[in-house]
Amino acid sequence: MDNIDIEEMFQSLGPITIKRMFGGKGIYHMGRILALEVDDEILLKADDASASQFEAAGARRWAYEGKKGKAVNMPYWSIPDDAFDDPDEMARWVRLAYEAALRSDK
């Protein structure tokens, strides 16, 4: 996904910074990472306060294969399908991701 498309997805927050990382991209707002781009998919940050909302909307939690083939769950979720056709919905999910980033120590 190119940076212009990513910036458009996050425009409701204001300016974002995109940095290359681990073969993908990290997406930051006000110095906080709130999303990743991995294999042309945007994954939004969630935490204990917001993950259930992502799950209820049908989003998938990102996991990678760790040692001994065990899945390692990460605090990033796919964007619910409805958000791609509705800028207000996209703004809602992006805001949830930024709020999770603010609560995070990382």
Side-chain angles (χ1 to χ4, degrees), residues 20-103:
R20 296 195 71 58
M21 60 186 299
F22 309 117
K25 298 174 183 176
I27 302 162
Y28 298 78
H29 177 64
M30 305 289 284
R32 300 284 187 142
I33 188 163
L34 69 140
L36 302 174
E37 186 267 340
V38 178
D39 296 327
D40 286 329
E41 180 179 24
I42 300 296
L43 303 165
L44 298 176
K45 189 173 191 81
D47 61 7
D48 290 342
S50 61
S52 62
Q53 293 177 65
F54 281 89
E55 187 172 20
R60 289 177 288 91
R61 187 170 190 175
W62 180 48
Y64 68 89
E65 189 174 318
K67 294 181 181 178
K68 299 182 183 180
K70 290 190 81 174
V72 177
N73 288 324
M74 299 299 291
Y76 294 92
W77 292 73
S78 63
I79 297 173
D81 291 337
D82 293 347
F84 290 101
D85 296 326
D86 184 340
D88 292 332
E89 273 297 297
M90 182 63 76
R92 174 179 173 256
W93 293 107
V94 165
R95 173 65 54 197
L96 279 175
Y98 182 59
E99 289 168 357
L102 288 173
R103 290 187 294 266

